[in-house]
Amino acid sequence: MIPVRGFDGAIVAVLGLGRSGLSAARALREGGARVVVWDDTTAARERAEAEGFEARRLDREEAFDDVACLVTSPGIPHLYPQPNTAIAAALRAGVPVDNDIGLFFRSLGHGWDSYDQPPKVVAVTGSNGKSTTSALIHHILSASGRDSQLAGNIGRGVLDIDPPGDGGVVVLELSSYQTDLARSLTPDVAVFTNFSADHLDRHAGLGGYFAAKRRLFAEGGPDRAVIGVDEIEGAYLAGQLSEGRADDRVIRVASGQKLSGPGWYVFARKGFLSEWRKGRQVASIDLRDIAGLPGAHNHQNACAAFAACRSLGLGPREIEAALRTFTGLPHRSQRVGEAKGVTYVNDSKATNVDSALKALLAFPKVRWVCGGLMKEGGLEALQPGLAHVSRAYVIGREPESFALQLVDTDVEICGDMATAVARAAADAEPGEVVLLAPAAASFDQYDNFEKRGEDFIACVEAELAKE
């Protein structure tokens, strides 16, 4: 646990008692704060009370008369589309609002004066690939013998980790919900994977979404920034952070295009990762036969992870060796079975159009299981990947409306996962991939994308058992 510093003897309120909220309450108490809590769910409040926390309603301004700070969970809106009533009450009362990420950064460095090598924090954000990139950085560090912990939006809550030891590294995956509110953001290395439209209602549009991501780089001023520049937002961010073309504090990353100049670049083209510094190539890795990193989108993730680990002093060959032992993450380009020349891949995490497009482009012939709760913007951006689709098998509560947007694509309305997988398995020919890449949220039929992916896996296993 990382005890929260700066609130010894003060009252701090915690709103939302899920994983991050309850973890924050414990860490605050460990640091000497008196903690009051609230969650709209009775069971969550009862769990907190069983641990000795005082429950207090927080939807009125007077509830904050003696409160020094309100700590809120990332899923609770603090500004758009409208603030939660408790957060609005805190703001009216003039009480600062923070989250567990802000508490983590303000508290992490306690006791480091005795270390020979201060620990480092690598923070990863972006629209897609955050989890894979974060897990890959952690895997490379661990495989290279470095003390590493993975936390944030993946793995453990940030305040649940052990205090890092001498020279240790903490790798954080951070969503826009987390970076948008944190009052302290001071990573040593910050990574921006890529950018595409997502969570637009929460951030009041594309500009607000980008601003939330940008805070990780603008607020804390990382020593090194790894920036994916395939989109204009990334190129703009890299330009803002750089003092000139040769400024190697910014490592520019790309997939599908060559980068050149006097700076520091890592890019992937035709399946090869290349590192260039000061106008010459210094390393190259063949990514094509690395099973855990299929497709151009995973090559982009590999470039970002490579760059982050190089900035921490690791050599190209030890990074390459670790890449070859990476097995990938559940629900992200996860190979779950193969029979009669047909491969089954679970990419349930492809909840938006951009990530689904990248999944489609990773395979030449696809039996595509798709559909769910559509996000803003429609499906038009999927068009470049539809040429890879032999047939789309649409699930969800309103599959017809989803299917209508798949212009010039062979579509079968299935409704549920079992029907979609059964029909795709029956139709698939050797060399094809049955791919779950929904291009939609899961909440119309599932609690989360993990449950959707688990259902896909169960349905695939049931089909394979018939062989």
Side-chain angles (χ1 to χ4, degrees):
M1 178 183 292
I2 306 294
V4 174
R5 307 295 174 181
F7 294 107
D8 189 14
I11 297 176
V12 179
V14 175
L15 177 66
L17 297 172
R19 185 188 68 163
S20 67
L22 200 51
S23 169
R26 294 170 183 142
L28 281 158
R29 182 167 62 186
E30 185 70 16
R34 175 189 161 196
V35 183
V36 297
V37 301
W38 186 258
D39 192 293
D40 289 340
T41 305
T42 302
R45 294 198 303 273
E46 290 175 347
R47 284 194 298 270
E49 288 176 320
E51 293 191 29
F53 293 108
E54 173 191 344
R56 178 192 292 187
R57 290 189 66 91
L58 299 172
D59 54 354
R60 297 181 303 278
E61 191 173 331
E62 53 268 28
F64 293 94
D65 286 347
D66 57 353
V67 170
C69 181
L70 172 64
V71 177
T72 182
S73 294
I76 300 174
H78 59 270
L79 186 56
Y80 302 115
Q82 62 182 24
N84 176 275
T85 54
I87 294 176
L91 295 174
R92 289 194 302 271
V95 171
V97 181
D98 206 347
N99 60 17
D100 63 329
I101 304 301
L103 299 181
F104 169 84
F105 278 111
R106 71 178 284 165
S107 305
L108 183 64
H110 185 76
W112 287 5
D113 293 346
S114 61
Y115 287 171
D116 291 331
Q117 297 183 59
K120 302 281 190 182
V121 177
V122 179
V124 181
T125 195
S127 296
N128 298 305
K130 297 186 299 296
S131 296
T132 297
T133 300
S134 301
L136 190 51
I137 294 169
H138 170 62
H139 173 78
I140 294 168
L141 291 167
S142 298
S144 302
R146 297 285 292 271
D147 174 22
S148 176
Q149 297 182 77
L150 180 63
N153 207 40
I154 185 175
R156 300 162 70 183
V158 292
L159 295 169
D160 278 337
I161 67 170
D162 301 322
D166 200 329
V169 181
V170 178
V171 183
L172 302 181
E173 179 197 339
L174 299 181
S175 71
S176 60
Y177 291 9
Q178 294 168 310
T179 59
D180 194 23
L181 185 61
R183 294 173 62 87
S184 179
L185 286 166
T186 54
D188 299 280
V189 180
V191 180
F192 182 88
T193 58
N194 49 54
F195 189 79
S196 61
D198 207 357
H199 308 304
L200 300 187
D201 57 339
R202 176 66 181 261
H203 298 293
L206 199 62
Y209 178 47
F210 177 61
K213 297 291 189 186
R214 182 181 174 276
R215 287 190 78 245
L216 180 63
F217 303 84
E219 296 294 318
D223 296 334
R224 250 303 133 51
V226 176
I227 309 292
V229 296
D230 286 323
E231 298 85 29
I232 187 61
E233 290 84 0
Y236 171 79
L237 181 58
Q240 281 201 313
L241 296 172
S242 175
E243 293 294 332
R245 296 183 69 211
D247 186 354
D248 67 0
R249 294 174 304 166
V250 177
I251 308 176
R252 289 170 171 85
V253 168
S255 176
Q257 62 170 314
K258 181 179 179 179
L259 303 176
S260 61
W264 194 349
Y265 306 99
V266 180
F267 57 88
R269 290 182 71 217
K270 299 180 180 179
F272 286 86
L273 179 153
S274 297
E275 178 187 9
W276 286 66
R277 297 188 73 173
K278 300 179 180 178
R280 66 184 185 89
Q281 183 170 325
V282 296
S284 178
I285 299 174
D286 186 350
L287 301 173
R288 294 173 299 176
D289 61 345
I290 299 181
L293 296 167
H297 60 304
N298 275 310
H299 293 175
Q300 183 185 59
N301 298 335
C303 287
F306 178 96
C309 290
R310 288 287 282 140
S311 75
L312 293 171
L314 274 65
R317 296 285 75 85
E318 62 182 330
I319 296 174
E320 179 179 2
L323 291 176
R324 296 191 178 282
T325 60
F326 183 67
T327 57
L329 290 176
H331 315 299
R332 299 160 177 88
S333 298
Q334 177 189 10
R335 293 173 182 262
V336 298
E338 185 174 344
K340 296 182 178 180
V342 177
T343 302
Y344 296 80
V345 175
N346 166 29
D347 204 342
S348 183
K349 186 63 171 66
T351 59
N352 59 40
V353 168
D354 184 66
S355 55
L357 173 61
K358 290 175 179 176
L360 290 174
L361 293 174
F363 307 104
K365 293 183 179 181
V366 175
R367 299 283 171 174
W368 181 30
V369 180
C370 57
L373 190 62
M374 269 198 301
K375 296 185 176 181
E376 292 183 37
L379 305 178
E380 184 178 354
L382 283 169
Q383 199 63 39
L386 296 182
H388 293 222
V389 176
S390 301
R391 177 176 289 176
Y393 304 82
V394 185
I395 64 173
R397 288 185 181 174
E398 299 180 356
E400 294 83 3
S401 60
F402 191 98
L404 283 173
Q405 296 201 39
L406 301 177
V407 180
D408 298 326
T409 303
D410 186 5
V411 175
E412 182 171 339
I413 301 297
C414 296
D416 62 87
M417 186 70 74
T419 302
V421 171
R423 294 298 306 135
D427 294 343
E429 300 176 357
E432 291 188 325
V433 171
V434 175
L435 170 69
L436 171 65
S442 58
F443 305 124
D444 59 336
Q445 290 183 312
Y446 301 94
D447 290 341
N448 48 53
F449 74 85
E450 292 96 340
K451 293 296 184 183
R452 177 171 59 191
E454 290 165 5
D455 192 18
F456 175 78
I457 294 171
C459 292
V460 168
E461 290 174 346
E463 290 299 317
L464 297 184
K466 298 176 184 178
E467 301 293 340

